[in-house]
Amino acid sequence: MSAFDVVILTAVLVLTLVVLGAVLFGVRLIRGLLTRPAPEDPAYVAEKDRQEQSLAALRTAADEVNSTIDVAKSAAAAARTEAAAAKAEAKAARAEARRVLDDARAEADTVLERAHKQAEADAEQLRTAARRSGEREVAVLAATTREQAAEVERRATRMDERERLHTEEVERLAERERQLTAANAALAAREAALAEREAELAEAENQRRRELERVAELTADAARAELIEAIEGQAKREAALLVRDIESDARSTAEQRARHIVVDAIQRVASEQTAESVVSVLHLPGDEMKGRIIGREGRNIRAFESVTGVNLIIDDTPEAVLLSCFDPVRREVGRLTLEKLVLDGRIHPHRIEEVHELARQEVDQLCHRAAEDALVEVGITEIHPELVNLLGRLRYRTSYGQNVLKHLVETAHIAGMMAAELRLDVPLIKRSAFLHDIGKALTHEVEGSHAIVGADVARKYGESEDVVHAIEAHHNEVPPQTVEAVLTQASDACSGGRPGARRESLEAYVKRLERIEEIAAGKQGVEKVFAMQAGREIRVMVKPDDVDDIGAAVLARDVAKQVEEELTYPGQIRVTVVRESRVTEIAR
């Protein structure tokens, strides 16, 4: 017998002893319940108390009747002398008292008998309930014993099955170890054979190389160098083809996407064409007003130019005078001053000073209102008041005939649309684009590029570094490092390069077209060059015998790069290289 069997047998004996002890305890408990006096039961005690209270009430009633009898006796003794009728009444009262007392005693006996019967019935019920409880406990203990014995048997079965599986696993591992040993021996033999075969192959390869060198009269290094050179040339050609295909694919998708974004942004911006801004013209009600403007010995015109700082040009133009000044704000103040003086009719030096002050205040209000309107249109808030004043001054500033404040609004809209298409920070990019030309309000007062001046002003009045960098980098004085700077450059170019945005002199236009044709014509293999679409496209005809397809792609890239480096132009210029082969035969 194994140790596990001994443990199982001991557990079964212990459980049997426990069950027998529980049965004996239950029998003893039942006997105790049967022999225990019934009055200890709560129901029986309550019934007994109720009966005792009833007996006490009966005794109290009996005592009261006795007292009544005594009272009657005393009354009879007292009234015996008074009348004989009182004796009869006393006797009747005593008889009634006796009857009542007998009834009370009979009722008390009946109650006691009923209480004894109820107590016996309750005791019998208690004995029956105790017997049933003991039987249930014995049944539960027996069922628990059976379940535990079944569980022990199941565990023993599982342990036997686990031991059998363990034995089988050990046998499998031993078999596998034998197989691995045999495989290792086979691998060792195969490695030895392979090593011997490799040695033979190496010797055969050396003999083949020596034979090839003898036949080809070339060493291995020379043949390798020649092969590498041939492969290198082929690889370069394949690389050029691959680069051409990749560039064509990237250009088609990138240009299409960029063109879509830029065109959509420009089309959604409704802007005006360029306006005349070199001088201001004031129409007069009549030519006699010119004399009053000049004044006696020219004192009025000298006072006007001294106070306003604007040159007043009075020539043969009928009913009109010209005002010229490098500062557009000062020129507008002078124009309003002269207009008010003409409407008022009183023109003298003191009046000129008064009207000039009023005109200056009016222009300041107009500038401030124009700046606020532009900020509301763009959707920018929380900007320094000094920047608002500078923006207002750009209302009368032009660049190549384009109003700068309107240019800023247009640039901000274009940048915001492109940022929205690219899912970038729209408010930040619109702010950068709107403030990129803020330095033009100070170019007449501060030396330096308007981009650097504008960046210094923006940094001074609390703008973020991203906005400052976009301002200083929009003309490449500083290399652009952020997306905001690149989009600011792009939107600025879109606003300035769109048709009708700026005027260009005919001389500069012709020189630009000539230089474009010179750049393309100076390349090798070029036969003809045509500048088309107002200089926005270059059509280059090449000689098919001198330039192949790959050379045409390289030529187009070189021309475009040189044009970018040497020329300044709005928008973009497309370079198209045409390589055409023609074969002509005559049928006779």
Side-chain angles (χ1 to χ4, degrees):
M1 182 180 296
S2 62
F4 181 75
D5 296 335
V6 172
V7 172
I8 296 299
L9 182 59
T10 304
V12 172
L13 291 176
V14 170
L15 291 174
T16 304
L17 292 176
V18 171
V19 171
L20 291 176
V23 171
L24 292 176
F25 179 73
V27 172
R28 186 176 298 172
L29 179 62
I30 292 170
R31 288 179 180 176
L33 292 174
L34 294 175
T35 57
R36 185 179 296 172
E40 293 183 0
D41 184 68
Y44 175 76
V45 172
E47 182 64 24
K48 183 178 178 182
D49 292 339
R50 187 179 61 79
Q51 292 174 1
E52 287 179 356
Q53 291 177 1
S54 300
L55 289 176
L58 292 175
R59 290 192 185 94
T60 303
D63 292 339
E64 291 178 356
V65 170
N66 289 329
S67 62
T68 303
I69 293 172
D70 293 337
V71 171
K73 285 182 180 180
S74 61
R80 191 178 295 121
T81 58
E82 294 180 357
K87 292 181 179 181
E89 187 177 355
K91 290 179 181 180
R94 281 196 295 275
E96 182 66 22
R98 289 191 189 95
R99 186 182 64 78
V100 171
L101 183 59
D102 292 338
D103 292 340
R105 288 174 179 171
E107 185 177 357
D109 293 337
T110 303
V111 170
L112 288 174
E113 185 178 0
R114 191 163 52 249
H116 285 300
K117 290 180 180 180
Q118 183 66 32
E120 290 176 358
D122 293 341
E124 183 64 25
Q125 291 178 357
L126 290 174
R127 286 194 293 271
T128 302
R131 190 181 299 110
R132 291 177 180 174
S133 177
E135 291 175 355
R136 283 195 301 271
E137 290 180 358
V138 170
V140 171
L141 290 174
T144 304
T145 303
R146 287 195 297 272
E147 291 178 358
Q148 291 180 352
E151 181 66 23
V152 169
E153 185 177 357
R154 286 195 298 271
R155 288 184 180 178
T157 304
R158 285 199 296 271
M159 290 186 66
D160 293 339
E161 181 67 20
R162 189 176 299 171
E163 185 175 358
R164 183 181 64 80
L165 294 175
H166 180 67
T167 303
E168 293 177 356
E169 184 67 22
V170 170
E171 292 176 356
R172 283 197 300 271
L173 289 176
E175 180 65 23
R176 189 171 182 180
E177 185 176 0
R178 288 193 296 272
Q179 293 177 358
L180 288 175
T181 304
N184 289 332
L187 285 175
R190 190 170 181 180
E191 286 178 358
L194 287 175
E196 185 178 356
R197 183 70 180 272
E198 286 179 358
E200 294 176 357
L201 289 175
E203 181 63 26
E205 179 66 23
N206 291 330
Q207 292 179 0
R208 187 179 66 83
R209 184 182 298 109
R210 287 194 294 270
E211 183 66 19
L212 288 175
E213 290 177 358
R214 185 183 64 78
V215 172
E217 297 180 356
L218 287 174
T219 62
D221 295 335
R224 186 181 299 108
E226 185 175 351
L227 180 61
I228 290 174
E229 184 178 357
I231 293 175
E232 184 179 359
Q234 183 179 0
K236 285 182 178 179
R237 182 173 182 83
E238 292 178 355
L241 293 174
L242 182 61
V243 167
R244 185 189 65 182
D245 295 338
I246 293 174
E247 287 183 352
S248 176
D249 187 19
R251 191 180 301 110
S252 62
T253 33
E255 287 184 358
Q256 182 179 2
R257 175 65 176 161
R259 189 181 301 110
H260 172 73
I261 294 174
V262 172
V263 170
D264 182 63
I266 293 175
Q267 286 179 347
R268 291 168 60 185
V269 176
S271 301
E272 299 177 357
Q273 302 295 98
T274 58
E276 191 72 24
S277 58
V278 178
V279 294
S280 296
V281 180
L282 179 65
H283 295 281
L284 303 177
D287 288 337
E288 67 275 5
M289 185 60 68
K290 293 182 180 180
R292 301 179 61 183
I293 292 174
I294 296 173
R296 183 178 299 176
E297 297 179 356
R299 66 171 187 172
N300 289 343
I301 191 172
R302 287 195 300 271
F304 179 84
E305 293 179 349
S306 175
V307 171
T308 62
V310 177
N311 293 327
L312 190 60
I313 302 173
I314 301 177
D315 53 13
D316 296 335
T317 305
E319 298 181 356
V321 294
L322 300 179
L323 295 95
S324 176
C325 180
F326 68 92
D327 190 344
V329 177
R330 192 186 302 173
R331 186 173 65 247
E332 180 64 17
V333 173
R335 189 190 67 81
L336 284 178
T337 302
L338 186 58
E339 182 179 1
K340 291 180 181 295
L341 289 172
V342 170
L343 291 176
D344 185 29
R346 297 176 296 168
I347 304 176
H348 53 80
H350 182 68
R351 180 60 180 169
I352 291 173
E353 294 178 359
E354 293 178 355
V355 175
H356 174 264
E357 183 64 23
L358 295 176
R360 189 182 60 80
Q361 295 177 3
E362 184 176 351
V363 169
D364 290 341
Q365 293 177 359
L366 291 174
C367 291
H368 193 271
R369 189 179 304 117
E372 291 181 346
D373 292 342
L375 290 171
V376 171
E377 183 178 355
V378 177
I380 295 177
T381 58
E382 297 180 0
I383 190 169
H384 198 278
E386 290 297 328
L387 292 180
V388 176
N389 295 332
L390 292 177
L391 289 171
R393 296 174 64 178
L394 295 177
R395 180 175 186 267
Y396 301 104
R397 178 74 156 82
T398 59
S399 178
Y400 296 98
Q402 185 181 28
N403 184 272
V404 177
L405 186 58
K406 293 181 179 180
H407 165 65
L408 294 182
V409 174
E410 181 179 344
T411 305
H413 286 313
I414 294 174
M417 293 171 193
M418 290 193 290
E421 290 286 340
L422 299 174
R423 292 180 176 86
L424 300 175
D425 189 354
V426 175
L428 177 60
I429 293 176
K430 289 181 70 174
R431 193 181 190 96
S432 302
F434 184 71
L435 296 176
H436 79 277
D437 275 345
I438 188 70
K440 288 186 177 180
L442 296 173
T443 51
H444 300 306
E445 304 171 7
V446 180
E447 294 183 358
S449 170
H450 72 275
I452 303 301
V453 173
D456 294 338
V457 171
R459 186 181 291 110
K460 176 181 178 182
Y461 293 118
E463 292 296 325
S464 64
E465 284 300 321
D466 292 335
V467 176
V468 172
H469 176 67
I471 294 173
E472 65 185 2
H474 80 276
H475 280 320
N476 290 320
E477 280 88 356
V478 176
Q481 302 292 334
T482 62
V483 179
E484 292 80 7
V486 174
L487 284 183
T488 300
Q489 277 189 342
S491 58
D492 182 28
C494 290
S495 176
R498 66 177 178 82
R502 296 181 178 181
R503 292 194 307 274
E504 186 177 17
S505 64
L506 179 60
E507 183 180 358
Y509 171 73
V510 172
K511 286 183 178 180
R512 178 160 59 86
L513 294 185
E514 290 177 353
R515 181 55 186 159
I516 289 174
E517 292 184 352
E518 288 177 2
I519 291 175
K523 302 298 181 182
Q524 185 177 1
V526 176
E527 185 177 4
K528 296 179 181 179
V529 179
F530 300 102
M532 307 173 65
Q533 296 184 4
R536 297 185 181 275
E537 182 178 357
I538 308 172
R539 190 70 57 88
V540 182
M541 306 293 181
V542 298
K543 301 175 182 179
D545 297 334
D546 297 340
V547 181
D548 57 2
D549 291 340
I550 299 176
V554 174
L555 176 63
R557 185 168 59 248
D558 292 342
V559 171
K561 187 174 181 181
Q562 187 173 356
V563 169
E564 288 179 359
E565 293 176 353
E566 296 185 8
L567 300 180
T568 301
Y569 50 89
Q572 61 185 8
I573 298 176
R574 177 182 298 176
V575 179
T576 303
V577 176
V578 180
R579 179 178 178 270
E580 184 179 25
S581 298
R582 295 184 182 182
V583 178
T584 305
E585 290 291 341
I586 299 175
R588 300 181 185 277

